[in-house]
Amino acid sequence: MNDSRSLKILVADDTDADRLILETIVRKEGHQVFSAKNGLEAVAIFQQEHPDIVLLDALMPEMDGFDAARQIKHLAGDEIVPIIFLTSLQDTESLVRCLDAGGDDFLSKPYNRVILKAKIKSFNRMRGLHNTMITQRDQLAQHHQRLLQEQTVAKQVFDNVAHSGCLNASNVRYFLSSLAVFNGDVVVAAIRPNGNMMVLLGDFTGHGLPAAIGAMPLASTFYGMVHKGFSMSDVLREINKKLKAILPIGLFCCATMIDFNFRRKRLKVWNGGLPAGMIYRQADGSITPMRSTHLPLGVLPEKNFKDDAQFYDVEEGDRIFMWSDGIHEARNLDGDMFGEERLLEVFAKGSEPVNVFDDILASVKNFIGSGEQDDDLSMIEIRMDAPENLVHPNHYFIHRQQLSPVEWEMRFEVKPTSFKSFDPLPFLLNVLTEEPDLRGFSGSLYTILAELYSNALEHGVLNLSGNLKKSPEGFAEYYTQREKLLSKITDGFVHIYVAYSSNIEGGSLTLRVEDSGSGFDYNARQGKILSTTGYSGRGIGIVEKLCKTVRYYGSGNKVEAVFAWINDD
Amino acid sequence: MSVTQHLSYDVLNSLQEIMEDDFGFLIETFIQDSQDRLEKLHRLIGSDDFDSVRRAAHSFKGSCSNLGALRLVSLCAVLERKALVKDIANLGIDLAEIEEEFLIVHQKMLDFIA
């Protein structure tokens, strides 16, 4: 924009004397003057010089001021170019003609320098405001465009992460607005190695990018863990921990997560803050709500997080519905909310189960009418199906995995030179917890391994007597002796053998520990398994409690503990 | 009409102030302009192109107004109004009056710059 003291001003007047006066006045105000003798010249000069303000005589030969004004306004387009008509016309009709042609003001003859100066200043101010507005409008449009582009890219990235699952499986239907992630809604579904389907519907507080930001770690954590076979509580804990760490206070994620066991026809449900999902039973048309019993994800610190779930038995053909609060909070023109009651009425109508999904959507849309949609609707339906009827993208991979049991074993020996410095427990525990179904038992496994190993090392290899530990003073003595013996030991060994076996129902872990010591009279211990008291021998009691069996072999220098578990989901 | 002044010296003084050295040139331009317009009016009055008469009278009126020729403004206004309502009677007399007044204004302007 030009400085107000130096504008380009076009003066069009066919009377030489009048034009001369105007040119002089305008030039003396410090502006640059362009002159035209008629309308045609005025339009031509306008195109060439793009003046900021036009002073236009109404009556001119060739092309009069009215036509010239129309053409100039057309050429100016978006830009504001004030046109001031120079006229001594007084009648209403003529003045209206000037304004209709695009004129912004009049200057009557005789010309008055002070008034012309004030008008130029005022129009220049208006031009400035207008240009600022146009610039800001363009910037706004640009920002909006960029926001849309960014959202599109973000959505693509998110879709690539979120849709790597089984949302397109044959028994799944869902309804999500195309930009639902920017509404804070997220749906992820995946098949576990054991054939169960895990579905999570989340609703982040807020809208736009802040709401979408948490969806990414949620989805990637979900898929990363579900495919590896982690249990629902592991997945929930991990997501809760991540969200708690990254989301600011006040931003969290209401969510329902369901583990669908198609083989056992059982649901394991965790609902934190979402409206109750529904089980629609095909047999009698009854519905069972799955209500929220927890706080949303991302609220509680890790140690306070509760992962206990509800279990529901279902039949093939039953349909499970999950939704965010978009349906419940959909408003009609009067501002009433759709609410759970109206939702239940849709079920009560007793439509064919296959139609319920569409009925709900239709009913909500009908209710809203032309009212504004506060929140987008997100809904998902999962039909209980025979496992063999499920068709989803990674079907074959999963099928192969779930049928084949997993078995492995390993042997491990600790040499005498390492007794003092090497602790085999973290190493073993690392290997064991690579198996997803053992991960939940790492505490128990540590206790068992620690007890068996220290017994083998201390009572076996080092031949320390457990009787010493019966008094607090003996306890100290015991450890002094242990240090002394460890520092000079040159022979002996501890063998550890681990056998892992699992299938769809559960599995077992066999641990055998053999030491180079002389053993002990294990027959004498029979019968008082849990009755051992005092400091010594307490450990093995816990092992016996944790394991299915604990047996001694040979001279008592070999022990075998079998740890077993059942897959409950 | 006879009470109206021939020239407004206020207008001329302020024009002189604005135009400075170009004031003489402005007066010459006005006189040349006016003579052209009077010739044109002569031609038009013989025809029945009333609209052109009206426009020419209007433009001349505006120009006279700028130069402070008050009586010429009034006389042009009369001609303009008559042309608008197609009152053809005495148009020649009106033009003659304008020409007479212009001669007076011409002389007074030359006196003013002298």
Side-chain angles (χ1 to χ4, degrees):
Chain A
M1 205 190 341
N2 288 309
D3 182 86
S4 64
R5 273 176 300 182
S6 178
L7 297 171
K8 288 164 110 177
I9 295 182
L10 171 60
V11 174
D13 197 325
D14 64 319
T15 310
D16 294 340
D18 292 355
R19 202 174 58 246
L20 194 58
I21 297 170
L22 269 188
E23 282 170 7
T24 309
I25 295 176
V26 169
R27 195 174 294 119
K28 286 206 166 170
E29 290 302 329
H31 305 300
Q32 197 183 349
V33 187
F34 300 92
S35 294
K37 287 189 176 69
N38 58 52
L40 273 183
E41 269 186 39
V43 172
I45 291 172
F46 179 82
Q47 277 179 291
Q48 222 168 32
E49 301 295 340
H50 303 285
D52 303 305
I53 294 177
V54 177
L55 306 178
L56 204 55
D57 191 16
L59 302 179
M60 290 185 289
E62 306 290 340
M63 181 192 282
D64 66 18
F66 305 111
D67 283 343
R70 266 187 284 273
Q71 294 206 15
I72 286 170
K73 283 289 177 182
H74 177 74
L75 289 168
D78 256 355
E79 221 179 303
I80 257 199
V81 179
I83 294 178
I84 300 174
F85 270 98
L86 310 167
T87 182
S88 46
L89 291 170
Q90 301 276 312
D91 58 302
T92 310
E93 201 191 329
S94 300
L95 297 181
V96 167
R97 262 185 89 199
C98 291
L99 294 176
D100 279 349
D104 296 288
D105 201 358
F106 307 97
L107 184 69
S108 57
K109 297 170 187 181
Y111 297 144
N112 181 314
R113 182 180 176 173
V114 178
I115 290 181
L116 179 60
K117 183 181 167 184
K119 286 193 181 200
I120 289 175
K121 200 171 155 193
S122 141
F123 276 110
N124 190 47
R125 196 165 53 226
M126 188 184 89
R127 226 174 45 86
L129 280 176
H130 178 81
N131 288 344
T132 307
M133 191 194 78
I134 291 286
T135 310
Q136 287 178 349
R137 182 201 67 180
D138 292 348
Q139 279 174 349
L140 205 63
Q142 233 173 17
H143 284 150
H144 184 66
Q145 191 58 37
R146 197 167 61 210
L147 185 71
L148 287 185
Q149 268 171 7
E150 284 174 355
Q151 287 200 345
T152 310
V153 173
K155 182 181 143 36
Q156 273 169 3
V157 174
F158 177 76
D159 285 351
N160 288 341
V161 175
H163 295 173
S164 61
C166 66
L167 280 173
N168 50 355
S170 56
N171 65 328
V172 177
R173 278 191 74 183
Y174 65 99
F175 180 89
L176 271 176
S177 95
S178 63
L179 284 172
V181 64
F182 298 107
N183 252 335
D185 286 0
V186 53
V187 172
V188 284
I191 306 286
R192 299 179 63 187
N194 67 4
N196 286 13
M197 183 185 286
M198 208 107 97
V199 179
L200 188 153
L201 172 70
D203 180 1
F204 283 89
T205 42
H207 281 86
L209 281 178
I213 213 98
M216 206 66 94
L218 181 147
S220 62
T221 306
F222 178 88
Y223 286 117
M225 293 183 77
V226 172
H227 286 310
K228 286 186 195 134
F230 281 93
S231 72
M232 191 161 97
S233 50
D234 289 336
V235 178
L236 283 168
R237 280 189 174 281
E238 186 63 22
I239 292 175
N240 179 68
K241 187 174 94 181
K242 280 224 168 94
L243 294 184
K244 174 75 181 162
I246 62 173
L247 296 183
I249 301 279
L251 204 59
F252 48 81
C253 180
C254 296
T256 297
M257 186 163 181
I258 304 184
D259 188 6
F260 295 83
N261 189 329
F262 298 107
R263 215 165 30 82
R264 288 206 180 123
K265 297 175 188 159
R266 197 152 69 127
L267 310 181
K268 186 177 176 186
V269 180
W270 185 97
N271 183 347
L274 272 191
M278 299 286 170
I279 303 168
Y280 186 54
R281 300 190 189 273
Q282 192 182 28
D284 57 359
S286 68
I287 50 176
T288 310
M290 302 174 287
R291 299 206 180 275
S292 166
T293 51
H294 294 281
L295 285 172
L297 295 169
V299 174
L300 291 172
E302 201 181 353
K303 63 177 170 42
N304 297 342
F305 184 76
K306 302 273 190 301
D307 60 8
D308 52 301
Q310 261 79 46
F311 289 90
Y312 300 92
D313 289 314
V314 286
E315 292 302 324
E316 272 169 33
D318 289 354
R319 282 159 202 272
I320 289 83
F321 293 88
M322 301 154 80
W323 31 58
S324 64
D325 56 12
I327 288 179
H328 300 67
E329 293 179 1
R331 285 171 193 276
N332 66 7
L333 284 173
D334 298 330
D336 300 330
M337 293 201 212
F338 188 76
E340 191 174 279
E341 238 171 81
R342 288 191 181 82
L343 190 56
L344 293 176
E345 279 168 22
V346 180
F347 285 102
K349 275 196 307 189
S351 334
E352 283 295 308
V354 69
N355 294 330
V356 170
F357 187 89
D358 294 317
D359 285 356
I360 293 173
L361 281 183
S363 179
V364 174
K365 282 184 176 160
N366 207 20
F367 176 78
I368 296 172
S370 53
E372 208 175 318
Q373 216 159 299
D374 284 343
D375 206 342
D376 269 27
L377 312 179
S378 297
M379 173 159 76
I380 180 162
E381 177 203 87
I382 290 107
R383 193 180 67 242
M384 287 308 288
D385 231 337
E388 59 273 19
N389 289 341
L390 292 180
V391 182
H392 49 79
N394 32 15
H395 180 70
Y396 296 104
F397 166 71
I398 295 296
H399 207 59
R400 186 176 50 76
Q401 265 210 342
Q402 86 185 68
L403 285 183
S404 55
V406 179
E407 285 189 56
W408 53 259
E409 54 180 58
M410 69 173 186
R411 279 163 236 276
F412 190 83
E413 183 178 325
V414 186
K415 302 278 192 191
T417 47
S418 297
F419 284 137
K420 187 175 163 59
S421 56
F422 177 66
D423 181 359
L425 295 181
F427 175 78
L428 280 169
L429 215 59
N430 260 342
V431 173
L432 292 177
T433 51
E434 276 300 300
E435 288 295 348
D437 41 1
L438 285 184
R439 217 164 304 208
F441 302 120
S442 60
S444 302
L445 292 175
Y446 181 84
T447 307
I448 296 166
L449 279 167
E451 181 63 20
L452 296 185
Y453 180 71
S454 67
N455 279 351
L457 178 65
E458 293 166 13
H459 303 316
V461 178
L462 301 182
N463 201 23
L464 279 163
S465 169
N467 288 334
L468 261 179
K469 291 205 280 185
K470 281 183 175 156
S471 70
E473 304 77 43
F475 222 95
E477 172 61 18
Y478 181 88
Y479 282 99
T480 312
Q481 286 198 24
R482 182 180 184 275
E483 280 307 296
K484 214 160 83 186
L485 290 169
L486 275 178
S487 60
K488 56 184 184 187
I489 191 157
T490 52
D491 59 356
F493 62 81
V494 176
H495 281 158
I496 298 170
Y497 164 88
V498 181
Y500 170 89
S501 163
S502 81
N503 59 33
I504 192 112
E505 302 290 344
S508 69
L509 184 75
T510 304
L511 301 167
R512 273 185 219 140
V513 180
E514 180 186 352
D515 62 65
S516 53
S518 52
F520 73 107
D521 182 9
Y522 51 88
N523 284 321
R525 258 189 95 252
Q526 301 291 355
K528 16 176 213 171
I529 288 171
L530 289 175
S531 61
T532 44
T533 51
Y535 288 92
S536 173
R538 190 173 52 174
I540 197 67
I542 294 171
V543 173
E544 282 166 336
K545 206 171 157 188
L546 289 171
C547 291
K548 195 170 117 192
T549 57
V550 179
R551 287 151 83 183
Y552 294 92
Y553 295 93
S555 61
N557 65 332
K558 295 180 192 173
V559 61
E560 179 190 85
V562 178
F563 181 80
W565 66 92
I566 294 166
N567 280 333
D568 68 345
D569 51 26
Chain B
M1 217 166 279
S2 54
V3 293
T4 313
Q5 281 179 283
H6 296 292
L7 271 178
S8 158
Y9 288 94
D10 282 351
V11 170
L12 283 179
N13 280 324
S14 78
L15 275 178
Q16 195 171 31
E17 196 183 311
I18 292 168
M19 302 303 293
E20 295 174 28
D21 292 348
D22 287 336
F23 183 65
F25 178 61
L26 173 67
I27 297 297
E28 282 167 36
T29 306
F30 171 72
I31 288 166
Q32 184 59 52
D33 247 358
S34 304
Q35 283 166 348
D36 293 349
R37 284 180 191 282
L38 286 170
E39 261 174 57
K40 194 178 172 190
L41 275 169
H42 255 294
R43 263 184 284 119
L44 287 171
I45 280 188
S47 74
D48 53 359
D49 186 353
F50 296 103
D51 195 49
S52 291
V53 173
R54 180 187 62 81
R55 294 164 65 121
H58 178 83
S59 290
F60 192 27
K61 182 185 74 178
S63 181
C64 294
S65 158
N66 269 333
L67 272 288
L70 302 182
R71 232 182 130 208
L72 270 176
V73 171
S74 308
L75 293 170
C76 287
V78 170
L79 187 61
E80 185 187 0
R81 207 176 313 121
K82 281 190 174 178
L84 181 69
V85 298
K86 297 181 181 168
D87 176 3
I88 54 170
N90 302 325
L91 280 188
I93 297 174
D94 292 324
L95 182 56
E97 249 185 285
I98 291 173
E99 286 179 313
E100 195 183 322
E101 173 64 18
F102 175 67
L103 288 177
I104 297 169
V105 166
H106 185 180
Q107 189 52 53
K108 285 188 177 287
M109 281 186 169
L110 291 180
D111 291 348
F112 186 77
I113 53 175

